[in-house]
Amino acid sequence: MVLRWPCGLYLSTRQRLLHLRAHQPRCYSTDVEYKPIRSVLCANRGEIAIRVFRACTELGIRSVAVYSEQDKMHMHRQKADESYLVGRGLPPVQAYLSIPEIVRVAKENDVDAIHPGYGFLSERADFAQACIDAGIRFIGPTPRVVHQMGDKVAARQAAIDAKVPIVPGTPGPITTSEEAVEFCRKHGLPVIFKAAYGGGGRGMRVVRKMEEVEENFQRASSEALSAFGNGAMFIEKFIERPRHIEVQILGDKAGNVVHLYERDCSVQRRHQKVVEIAPAPNLDKKVRDQMTEHAVRLAKLVGYENAGTVEFLVDENGNFFFIEVNARLQVEHTVTEEITGIDLVQSQIRIAEGMTLPELGMKQETITMQGSAIQCRVTTEDPAKNFQPDTGRIEVFRSGEGMGIRLDGASAFAGAQISPYYDSLLVKVIAHAGDLQASASKMNRALREFRVRGVKTNIPFLLNVLENQKFLNGTVDTYFIDEHPQLFQFRPSQNRAQKLLNYLGTVLVNGPSTPLATSLKPAEVVPHLPEIPMTFKPPNGFRQILLADGPAGLAKAVRNNKGLLLMDTTFRDAHQSLLATRVRTFDLLKSSPYVAHNFNGLFASENWGGATFDVALRFLHECPWERLEEMRKLIPNIPFQMLLRGANAVGYTNYPDNVVFKFCELSVQAGMDIFRVFDSLNYLPNLILGMEAAGKAGGVVEAAISYTGDVSDPSRKKYDLNYYLNLADELVKAGTHILCIKDMAGLLRPTAAKLLISALRERHPDMPIHIHTHDTSGAGVASMLAAAEAGADIVDVAVDSMSGMTSQPSMGAIVASLKGTELDTGTNRNKTTISTFLHTKKYEIGSYSGLQ
């Protein structure tokens, strides 16, 4: 099927290329077949993947992304037309190295070609071959050339055959320190050790003393073995104070090769490029012409096609020596694009289709340089801590922009999570102007406009580089960073806006911590504690029923109770709603004995869960587990209830299932009895997980339905009566012991309460029904009374001083309203229920430490 793209511009561009092919004479062989590419998969992530996708979009080509499990929220997924997971269950980096997975995704989704980007599989000949074997085009050199250029020995031999100057070195890879010592004795020092089967600075060591040869060889070989799976080394004579200059080449399938001039990559730290410049400043024209001529000659000799880079070292006298060929697109290709006006990625795709360089308008005599371009790699590294990678969430991101500034990035936005698994590159900033000084000035201005908060960046270091006079004069070499320690002297960021926001947030949440403008001392108030009856142990309560006959027995006792039962939220939700959960364990324990002796008729006391953990640990600096254990010692007769956020337990994110199960198990061991399990969206899988965890731990399961809307309003169609009845059916089927309606916003009106509870009671006559609300609207007492009259067994209340507003309805108001009625909450009736049940079980409280 021919894909028809909506943008006429894209089609006309491609039609023009076809027209050129039909009417322009061929410069070389005529057997190069043109096959349009309609879809491209980028076997990479981050910035380079987005760069490829943008080129595809401009050419009217469908773009396909792959992503690891750790990258499921990454931006490169959003920039592609399609995206697919690869490497499920594999480590983060291995996911992008899984050749079978990537090829599978490409074949299953009708991908025509794969672009490898840079890094990962970009220089793997077996990946290029796997693509071709699967009938997919590889946007890069042929597998033979990738293999030849990736093998430093073969690449070196090719350079010799092409009469390209090389640095004296071993004719092949060596594997023993004895061979290294022999070479050094023959050719003298200094020398450099390089990994024979990899690059990027790994396994690279410079040796200047004979006694250090053996040790450095062993270290370099070990590092190469770890990074590339092969510890073989290549040794070369080390060029003192060189410039690192590379030539960009493009070759087509017809044998044409052109160069796009050179880049200076001498600003390096530990062999890793930091700042790149095009063209190389202060480079003699004769040296440039010779270097580019040699690069083209080498490329033609090996039959190079697509984009590549030939790298050289240039000494102080203008002598240059071949280092290696990077058979891929380079990170710093952007500066070449800026000075030549040629889109390298689009050129790669067109060459892979079969277009020749002349057909693309690329003849050496027409490719010219304009101005100077600089690229700075902004990374999430802290230069003050030896460039230690930083991770976390970007809280603030503002970039520098304007004329002559280009940004290539992927994770550069507020809210982005910087992962520890991949390269620390945040964004590439490219400046283009008439000369080096003007370009550096633009770059300086742009970097100063950046505001990145939440993670550290290397921007302060880059600014120091850009303001260094040696850099501005274009006289840098690979020793530049090592010889300028002042580059590491930074002014601390003021970060005024972020500090002010943090201060305001702290004051809003925790109150002012500064002393008041008064000399008066705070008043010392000792709260009065009611006298506790001098009995050895508190009277029996519903907890004794639970211990005697388990959760099912407790549920049965609740249904057999004649009056309305109350659950007191004072110890948890009441002060969470009114005081941000700031009541201390110390204060709760002071009043616990009185509650045990005088409120034994309560169904339960809610004292845990919800925000208890978060506040206890972060603000009160207490142990929530100790709170539960100590309260249980003082209140052995009243069941404790907690709020469990389903699969989130007591946190704010999903936890692994085994964590939730273990948490519930430990909670029961520490004294918890009843688990109110809820999910704010009534998402059944989350609810059922929490129910199963609580039930397996031996707790009472109280499944809660979060209430919203108004079931008494017939115009409300989504959250109507049937919605709640159907949800209740599912929870009862899942095995809940008690059914709860949880009205977190105080929306449950009396008429709605009567309608909903009546329907639930009719549907589930044996199921205890528990109602929770907040008195936000002021109608909480009326709604709870209506629910009780409709058949609710338990309602939530708070002691009068901690009731009302965002807390629960007043305990005193409900008790007074029902006094003398069939639903009387009087403790005498509850005590009768408890005593009658326990008389048959002969179960009483054991030892009690509350008064000791």
Side-chain angles (χ1 to χ4, degrees):
M1 184 182 80
V2 177
L3 293 176
R4 301 188 181 277
W5 297 89
C7 183
L9 173 65
Y10 299 159
L11 282 173
S12 63
T13 301
R14 299 173 73 77
Q15 287 171 343
R16 185 168 64 253
L17 295 174
L18 290 170
H19 178 79
L20 281 170
R21 172 169 284 274
H23 295 88
Q24 182 169 310
R26 302 288 295 194
C27 298
Y28 283 80
S29 63
T30 58
D31 59 351
V32 178
E33 182 185 4
Y34 175 76
K35 294 174 61 179
I37 291 175
R38 295 180 174 84
S39 56
V40 171
L41 180 150
C42 184
N44 217 298
R45 66 180 298 278
E47 167 268 328
I48 185 56
I50 291 177
R51 173 72 185 88
V52 171
F53 299 152
R54 284 171 171 162
C56 290
T57 301
E58 292 165 8
L59 290 173
I61 293 173
R62 178 171 62 99
S63 56
V64 180
V66 291
Y67 62 94
S68 67
E69 290 177 303
Q70 292 76 17
D71 270 346
K72 63 183 178 181
M73 302 302 292
H74 202 273
M75 184 58 74
H76 78 274
R77 284 191 65 192
Q78 317 304 320
K79 295 293 184 181
D81 296 318
E82 303 168 17
S83 63
Y84 301 95
L85 175 67
V86 291
R88 185 186 298 275
L90 292 176
V93 172
Q94 292 300 316
Y96 292 101
L97 296 176
S98 177
I99 294 175
E101 277 276 280
I102 293 171
V103 171
R104 175 189 61 78
V105 169
K107 290 184 68 176
E108 288 178 357
N109 296 282
D110 299 321
V111 168
D112 292 336
I114 292 179
H115 194 299
Y118 45 70
F120 293 126
L121 295 169
S122 60
E123 293 183 271
R124 289 270 297 270
D126 56 339
F127 178 51
Q129 189 63 55
C131 294
I132 294 170
D133 292 345
I136 302 165
R137 272 170 280 180
F138 179 76
I139 302 178
T142 63
R144 177 189 62 79
V145 172
V146 173
H147 180 269
Q148 184 180 9
M149 295 299 98
D151 182 339
K152 287 184 171 54
V153 177
R156 179 184 175 87
Q157 185 58 51
I160 294 171
D161 295 342
K163 295 182 171 50
V164 177
I166 62 168
V167 179
T170 54
I174 64 172
T175 56
T176 67
S177 57
E178 289 78 11
E179 293 174 284
V181 171
E182 182 182 347
F183 176 88
C184 295
R185 284 177 177 157
K186 180 177 179 181
H187 294 279
L189 298 172
V191 296
I192 184 168
F193 298 149
K194 294 181 179 180
Y197 298 98
R202 293 181 176 88
M204 193 175 287
R205 294 284 192 285
V206 175
V207 184
R208 291 186 169 84
K209 295 180 181 180
M210 202 67 196
E211 58 268 25
E212 296 177 354
V213 171
E214 189 169 346
E215 179 185 355
N216 276 276
F217 179 86
Q218 296 293 350
R219 289 186 177 182
S221 179
S222 176
E223 188 176 330
L225 179 63
S226 175
F228 310 114
N230 192 319
M233 302 302 295
F234 193 76
I235 306 181
E236 291 178 347
K237 189 84 165 108
F238 184 66
I239 308 300
E240 293 283 8
R241 312 200 66 82
R243 297 175 68 181
H244 185 145
I245 295 178
E246 58 190 31
V247 176
Q248 178 69 56
I249 57 170
L250 269 179
D252 62 23
K253 296 177 183 295
N256 302 298
V257 179
V258 295
H259 69 79
L260 278 67
Y261 299 97
E262 80 288 348
R263 302 184 284 260
D264 192 326
C265 306
S266 301
V267 181
Q268 301 180 5
R269 176 183 170 273
R270 295 182 180 176
H271 306 291
Q272 297 291 326
K273 301 166 187 174
V274 179
V275 179
E276 296 95 357
I277 308 168
N282 303 322
L283 184 65
D284 186 272
K285 185 179 184 303
K286 290 183 180 179
V287 176
R288 171 180 291 124
D289 291 344
Q290 290 176 2
M291 196 182 304
T292 53
E293 179 191 342
H294 282 80
V296 171
R297 187 192 309 154
L298 173 60
K300 287 184 175 180
L301 178 76
V302 300
Y304 199 96
E305 65 181 69
N306 220 277
T309 304
V310 184
E311 301 196 0
F312 297 93
L313 290 179
V314 182
D315 67 17
E316 296 172 304
N317 300 316
N319 301 311
F320 59 90
F321 305 94
F322 170 80
I323 309 175
E324 63 183 353
V325 173
N326 282 308
R328 57 172 168 82
L329 194 69
Q330 293 275 77
V331 180
E332 60 274 15
H333 72 277
T334 56
V335 288
T336 297
E337 291 180 327
E338 293 300 312
I339 65 167
T340 62
I342 293 174
D343 188 316
L344 283 168
V345 180
Q346 286 193 16
S347 300
Q348 285 186 289
I349 296 171
R350 288 167 171 174
I351 289 170
E353 288 180 316
M355 300 302 295
T356 66
L357 294 175
E359 289 171 343
L360 294 172
M362 293 186 205
K363 297 179 180 178
Q364 193 63 67
E365 60 270 20
T366 63
I367 300 172
T368 59
M369 295 184 292
Q370 183 175 357
S372 176
I374 301 174
Q375 174 178 281
C376 286
R377 306 185 188 192
V378 177
T379 62
T380 54
E381 297 173 330
D382 187 355
K385 295 182 178 178
N386 199 28
F387 288 87
Q388 176 181 316
D390 198 10
T391 60
R393 181 179 181 273
I394 297 179
E395 297 173 1
V396 175
F397 183 85
R398 294 201 302 274
S399 62
E401 299 169 355
M403 180 180 176
I405 296 297
R406 166 180 167 181
L407 303 176
D408 280 22
S411 298
F413 58 91
Q417 290 287 344
I418 303 302
S419 164
Y421 305 117
Y422 302 106
D423 184 78
S424 59
L425 179 65
L426 181 64
V427 61
K428 298 189 308 193
V429 185
I430 304 96
H432 184 209
D435 55 39
L436 176 61
Q437 288 74 26
S439 186
S441 179
K442 281 185 181 292
M443 179 68 77
N444 192 313
R445 184 266 304 163
L447 291 180
R448 289 188 182 281
E449 289 180 5
F450 270 78
R451 293 292 183 275
V452 183
R453 302 290 182 258
V455 292
K456 299 287 187 182
T457 72
N458 65 336
I459 288 178
F461 173 78
L462 295 172
L463 288 171
N464 286 348
V465 171
L466 293 166
E467 292 171 358
N468 183 278
Q469 197 57 48
K470 191 171 182 179
F471 176 85
L472 293 173
N473 292 337
T475 55
V476 296
D477 54 42
T478 55
Y479 287 75
F480 171 69
I481 290 179
D482 295 334
E483 293 180 347
H484 290 80
Q486 65 269 29
L487 297 176
F488 295 89
Q489 296 173 3
F490 314 113
R491 287 189 304 175
S493 171
Q494 290 181 303
N495 196 11
R496 292 168 298 210
Q498 196 77 357
K499 289 177 181 176
L500 181 59
L501 286 172
N502 286 338
Y503 171 75
L504 291 174
T506 300
V507 171
L508 285 171
V509 172
N510 299 319
S513 57
T514 54
L516 299 175
T518 176
S519 58
L520 296 175
K521 301 292 183 183
E524 291 189 7
V525 178
V526 179
H528 171 70
L529 291 172
E531 291 186 8
I532 302 168
M534 297 302 293
T535 56
F536 181 72
K537 58 184 179 182
N540 289 324
F542 274 95
R543 187 163 189 265
Q544 277 60 60
I545 297 177
L546 173 61
L547 295 175
D549 214 26
L554 177 67
K556 185 176 180 181
V558 168
R559 284 298 294 133
N560 289 336
N561 188 69
K562 301 302 181 184
L564 178 66
L565 291 172
L566 306 178
M567 187 186 81
D568 182 15
T569 67
T570 305
F571 284 170
R572 207 281 297 177
D573 201 8
H575 73 94
Q576 176 173 317
S577 300
L578 298 176
L579 304 173
T581 331
R582 292 305 198 273
V583 178
R584 304 170 300 174
T585 298
F586 175 84
D587 302 303
L588 296 175
L589 295 180
K590 282 285 187 182
S591 56
S592 290
Y594 182 85
V595 171
H597 282 79
N598 293 278
F599 288 84
N600 65 302
L602 288 173
F603 164 70
S605 172
E606 188 187 42
N607 67 339
W608 221 52
T612 303
F613 262 72
D614 182 42
V615 175
L617 294 170
R618 288 205 299 143
F619 297 101
L620 300 179
H621 306 293
E622 324 180 321
C623 175
W625 294 100
E626 290 179 2
R627 172 184 294 189
L628 178 58
E629 290 167 352
E630 293 302 315
M631 291 187 73
R632 175 48 73 211
K633 293 176 185 176
L634 298 175
I635 309 177
N637 55 337
I638 301 173
F640 286 164
Q641 179 161 321
M642 70 167 290
L643 185 66
L644 186 76
R645 296 170 174 145
N648 291 11
V650 289
Y652 302 100
T653 186
N654 264 195
Y655 294 111
D657 294 1
N658 61 328
V659 173
V660 180
F661 275 79
K662 190 65 177 179
F663 173 82
C664 291
E665 178 188 331
L666 295 175
S667 300
V668 170
Q669 292 174 12
M672 184 49 58
D673 300 303
I674 305 168
F675 294 79
R676 175 178 285 169
V677 184
F678 95 108
D679 181 89
S680 61
L681 301 177
N682 292 328
Y683 183 54
L684 274 173
N686 275 1
L687 280 165
I688 291 173
L689 174 68
M691 292 169 63
E692 290 175 349
K696 186 177 180 182
V700 179
V701 178
E702 180 178 299
I705 300 173
S706 296
Y707 179 83
T708 190
D710 183 2
V711 296
S712 63
D713 183 351
S715 67
R716 302 286 187 96
K717 301 298 184 183
K718 184 172 184 179
Y719 299 108
D720 58 8
L721 187 60
N722 284 330
Y723 168 82
Y724 293 104
L725 291 176
N726 293 336
L727 197 55
D729 291 345
E730 294 296 328
L731 297 176
V732 171
K733 190 190 304 179
T736 188
H737 300 116
I738 301 172
L739 188 63
C740 173
I741 298 297
K742 185 173 172 59
D743 173 27
M744 293 178 284
L747 299 176
L748 186 63
R749 300 192 300 129
T751 51
K754 186 174 182 179
L755 178 64
L756 177 58
I757 306 310
S758 297
L760 288 173
R761 174 54 65 223
E762 183 179 350
R763 183 77 68 95
H764 301 289
D766 298 325
M767 177 61 60
I769 298 176
H770 191 162
I771 311 299
H772 170 90
T773 191
H774 290 253
D775 205 13
T776 315
S777 63
V781 172
S783 295
M784 293 303 96
L785 293 175
E789 290 173 356
D793 299 286
I794 317 157
V795 298
D796 287 0
V797 294
V799 294
D800 295 358
S801 61
M802 294 290 289
S803 67
M805 298 189 292
T806 54
S807 179
Q808 277 65 57
S810 162
M811 180 189 293
I814 289 181
V815 169
S817 299
L818 295 177
K819 188 174 182 180
T821 71
E822 287 296 317
L823 298 173
D824 194 324
T825 63
T827 56
N828 287 334
R829 176 171 294 176
N830 297 344
K831 286 178 181 177
T832 301
T833 300
I834 296 165
S835 299
T836 301
F837 181 87
L838 292 176
H839 179 72
T840 61
K841 297 290 180 180
K842 296 182 173 55
Y843 191 98
E844 292 191 357
I845 298 172
S847 60
Y848 171 64
S849 58
L851 300 178
Q852 295 176 4

